[in-house]
């Protein structure tokens, strides 16, 4: 039996259809309203924001690094300047196969193995997205070849950049320092100092020396260009430009020719010399030898050159004048004599008998004089002229270490001088308090005795010794040593003087000072320990020789240079100022393993003073050969 057919309810279906249409239309309307709302939000409410973003996509701000300021000597001789050159640079992150890229570039321009190694070293020290130089100083022909083949090498660019150059090479290298590429430590420091923005676009920063200490003056102010770019990121046109402001230039107290004379006078010896104008504290010469060529560091030093400098036993990277401390030896004696006079412990006419040694009461230990058999009867004048050790052993014992420390510290011993260069060390001026803090040990009388001749714990930098000598020459007024005497504003050309600063005004009795200076003058005359080096000088010189022991000598043992390794021989020390009656230059010289100050260090000082005061150049080498081969007598 068949089922009856059901009749369709068209009215009901039509109603359902209309309902679905209304829902769909409503949904479309809602979507349309949402779209309209979004359109209103973007186009009206957020108009400024999206307009700025669009402009930024079209406009690129390119930082323009400033020219670094010049460094000039006191006569205007350029010691550091900039030059422009084309460089071949690679951004590793934009380069697929780096080795293949470099090999391909090598077919167009010469790329040496050393340049490849330097590039690899830069990669290790830099971020992957930085452009790193592979070749510098490209010729016009090389630039043309690279430009024609640029499409083959993504991530490779030829840029015009400014390079630092030190035209005097290794001369004054420790004073000038050098610039180098900005590393992570530099970035962190710049960020902490809040000056990061001023280094956008800059690749280099001062690393050591004046380049580091005066970075703020030398760097300048970074400029910027607004550049319109196409969809490929290529520059279309420059919309606006804020010019960079070049760094200020520095004028030094240093005389570059005097510096060259001093450096040449050292010959093959290692050591340091600091010459100062006692009336201002201006540093006239600042030698640390051997030195290095700062130009090696500008583009990133290659491995072979770095190893040669870093592994050398002569330590050419060490700034001996600033960072090496040595016993001052007998150059401390004029200061000790002044201490004895100032405290009333000695009168100039007081005499002692020197049998060739000194012993403390109830002790059999003998502190030997450099002269076997002694100097006989010795007063203060003779003690300085002949550098009698025994006189100062006794004087030190009578003064005591605390009074010695109090008096000598006035001349700057045992603390940094405050020179306008970073990295200075303080040296050591011992006292009971210093030893207790250092080793928690009591002070022993014998330590006072040897401190009286500048041995024991005493350590001084050549810079400190020069500052103390300048104070002596200046009647007790000590100036802060200063490298820069003026700063030239790059915008106005105006010269801003760096005024001398008085460190200390030491209260010295003029009569006491005259006693000591008169004895120092006789040091350079016949009978004095520096007579030979200063013979025939047409100006008056006040000086003191010194010898700083490198290794100790056992009781009863005699010093013989022929039995001592060359690097274990005594250091030669010398201080002087001239003209003694109206000082214009004061200096300290230290010659490592140079043996005796009168025969090794004094001739160097004489050459420097002759040039500075008379304009006279040495006719031949100042020092013929390293001392010690003759087995000369250990003498102060």
């Amino acid at each position: 039996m068949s089922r009856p057919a059901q009749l369709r309810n068209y009215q009901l279906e039509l109603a359902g259809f209309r309902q679905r249409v209304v829902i769909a239309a409503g949904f479309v309307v809602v979507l349309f309203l949402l779209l309209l709302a979004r359109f209103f939000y973007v186009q009206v409410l957020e108009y400024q924001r999206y307009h700025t973003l669009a402009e930024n996509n079209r406009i690129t701000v390119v930082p323009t690094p400033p020219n670094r300021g010049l460094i000039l000597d006191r006569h205007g001789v350029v010691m550091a300047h900039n030059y422009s050159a084309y460089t071949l640079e690679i951004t590793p992150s934009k380069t697929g196969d780096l080795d293949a890229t470099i090999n391909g570039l090598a077919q167009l321009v010469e790329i040496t193995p050393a340049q490849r190694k330097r590039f690899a070293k830069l990669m290790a020290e830099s971020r992957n997205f930085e452009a790193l130089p592979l070749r510098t100083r490209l010729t016009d022909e090389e630039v043309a070849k690279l430009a024609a083949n640029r499409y083959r090498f993504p991530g490779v660019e030829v840029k015009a950049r400014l390079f630092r150059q030190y035209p005097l090479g290794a001369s004054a290298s420790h004073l000038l320092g050098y610039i180098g590429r900005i590393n992570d430590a530099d970035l962190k420091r710049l960020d902490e100092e809040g000056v990061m923005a001023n280094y956008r676009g800059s690749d280099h920063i001062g690393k050591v020396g004046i380049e580091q200490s005066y970075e703020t003056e030398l760097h300048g102010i970074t400029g910027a260009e607004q550049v319109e770019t196409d969809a490929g990121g290529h520059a279309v046109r420059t919309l606006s430009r804020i010019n960079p402001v070049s760094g200020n230039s520095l004028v030094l107290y240093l005389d570059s020719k005097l510096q060259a004379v001093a450096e040449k006078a050292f010959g093959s010896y290692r050591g340091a010399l600091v010459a100062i104008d006692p009336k201002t504290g201006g540093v006239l010469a600042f030698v640390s030898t051997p030195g290095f060529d700062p130009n090696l560091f500008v583009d990133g030093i290659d491995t072979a050159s770095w190893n040669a400098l870093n592994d050398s036993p002569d330590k050419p990277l060490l700034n001996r004048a600033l960072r090496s401390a040595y016993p001052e030896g007998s150059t401390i004696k004029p200061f000790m004599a002044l201490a004895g006079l100032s405290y009333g412990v000695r009168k100039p006419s007081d005499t002692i008998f020197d049998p060739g040694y000194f012993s403390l009461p109830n002790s059999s230990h003998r502190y030997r004089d450099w002269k076997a058999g002694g100097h006989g009867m010795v007063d203060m004048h003779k003690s300085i002229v002949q550098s009698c050790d025994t006189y100062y052993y006794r004087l030190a014992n009578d003064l005591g270490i605390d009074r010695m420390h109090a008096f000598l510290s006035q001349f700057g011993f045992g603390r940094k001088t405050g020179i306008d260069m970073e990295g200075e060390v303080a040296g050591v001026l011992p006292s009971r308090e210093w030893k207790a803090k250092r080793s928690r040990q009591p002070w022993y009388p014998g330590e006072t005795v040897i401190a009286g001749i500048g041995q024991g714990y005493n350590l001084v930098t050549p810079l400190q010794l020069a500052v103390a000598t300048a104070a002596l020459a200046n009647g007790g007024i000590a100036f802060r040593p200063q490298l820069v005497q003026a700063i030239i504003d790059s915008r106005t050309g105006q010269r801003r003087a760096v005024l001398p600063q008085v460190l200390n005004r030491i209260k010295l009795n003029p009569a006491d000072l005259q006693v000591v200076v008169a004895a120092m003058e006789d040091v350079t005359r016949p009978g004095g320990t520096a007579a030979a080096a200063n013979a025939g000088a047409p100006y008056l010189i006040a000086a003191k020789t010194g010898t700083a022991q490198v290794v100790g000598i056992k009781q009863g043992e005699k010093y013989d240079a022929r039995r001592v390794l060359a690097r274990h021989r005594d250091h030669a020390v010398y201080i002087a100022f001239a003209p003694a009656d109206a000082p214009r230059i004061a200096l300290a010289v230290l010659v490592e393993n140079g043996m005796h100050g009168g025969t090794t260090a004094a001739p160097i000082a004489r050459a420097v003073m002759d040039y500075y005061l008379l304009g006279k150049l040495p006719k031949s080498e100042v020092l013929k050969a390293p001392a010690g081969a003759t087995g000369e007598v250990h003498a102060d």
Side-chain angles (χ1 to χ4, degrees), residues 139-423:
T139 65
D140 292 342
E141 182 180 353
E142 289 173 328
V143 172
K145 284 182 180 178
L146 292 168
N149 291 273
R150 179 182 173 186
Y151 68 94
R152 296 169 49 195
F153 303 105
V156 175
E157 295 177 284
V158 174
K159 293 183 178 179
R161 290 197 182 267
L162 287 173
F163 287 88
R164 196 66 160 171
Q165 188 178 44
Y166 304 94
L168 302 184
S171 184
S173 54
H174 288 283
L175 179 144
L176 293 173
Y178 54 82
I179 65 170
R181 293 185 68 82
I182 296 175
N183 57 29
D184 290 341
D186 296 322
L187 289 174
K188 182 180 179 182
R189 180 171 52 79
L190 292 173
D191 189 39
E192 291 172 351
E193 294 173 356
V195 295
M196 181 71 85
N198 197 33
Y199 280 81
R200 287 176 183 157
S202 296
D203 298 320
H204 293 78
I205 193 170
K207 293 291 186 179
V208 295
I210 286 179
E211 292 278 26
Q212 178 194 33
S213 300
Y214 283 87
E215 171 66 25
T216 304
E217 295 285 352
L218 291 167
H219 178 69
I221 301 173
T222 299
E225 286 184 346
Q226 276 194 328
V227 179
E228 185 176 8
T229 59
D230 60 17
H234 301 114
V236 176
R237 59 174 175 151
T238 300
L239 301 176
S240 65
R241 175 183 175 85
I242 300 174
N243 291 325
V245 178
S246 298
N248 297 328
S249 295
L250 307 178
V251 181
L252 308 181
Y253 279 103
L254 185 127
D255 182 330
S256 59
K257 290 185 178 177
L258 181 71
Q259 176 80 12
V261 168
E263 290 171 343
K264 186 177 179 182
F266 270 87
S268 59
Y269 280 95
R270 303 176 308 280
L273 177 149
V274 179
I276 291 177
D277 180 347
K279 299 298 182 185
T280 63
V283 177
L284 306 172
F286 187 95
V287 176
S288 176
T289 184
F292 58 91
D293 185 353
N295 293 297
L296 292 171
F297 290 86
V298 175
D299 298 341
I301 190 168
D302 62 83
T303 304
S305 298
W306 170 253
N307 290 339
L309 290 172
N310 198 42
D311 298 339
S312 170
D314 291 338
K315 302 184 184 306
L317 295 176
L318 174 63
N319 188 338
R320 289 173 162 82
L322 189 76
R323 297 187 55 77
S324 286
Y326 309 83
E328 59 263 65
S330 292
T331 58
I332 201 175
K333 290 174 180 172
F335 304 96
M336 284 289 296
L338 274 174
L341 293 170
S342 296
Y343 284 113
V345 175
R346 289 287 184 279
K347 293 192 294 289
S349 57
D350 288 345
T351 58
I352 66 159
F353 177 75
D354 171 23
Y357 63 88
F358 170 78
S359 293
L360 287 166
N362 304 318
S363 172
S364 61
H365 183 87
R366 290 184 173 184
Y367 299 91
R368 294 169 301 181
D369 194 283
W370 68 267
K371 184 178 181 180
H375 299 266
M377 298 303 295
V378 180
D379 61 8
M380 182 171 285
H381 184 89
K382 185 178 178 180
S383 74
I384 294 176
V385 175
Q386 296 189 5
S387 198
C388 176
D389 290 339
T390 305
Y391 185 94
Y392 290 94
Y393 291 145
R394 188 184 295 271
L395 175 58
N397 188 53
D398 292 346
L399 278 169
I401 192 62
D402 292 331
R403 285 198 290 188
M404 288 168 57
H405 180 274
F407 186 83
L408 296 175
S409 64
Q410 299 178 91
F411 289 87
F413 293 115
R415 65 170 182 264
K416 296 179 182 179
T417 66
I419 190 173
D420 47 340
M421 188 191 304
E422 296 182 24

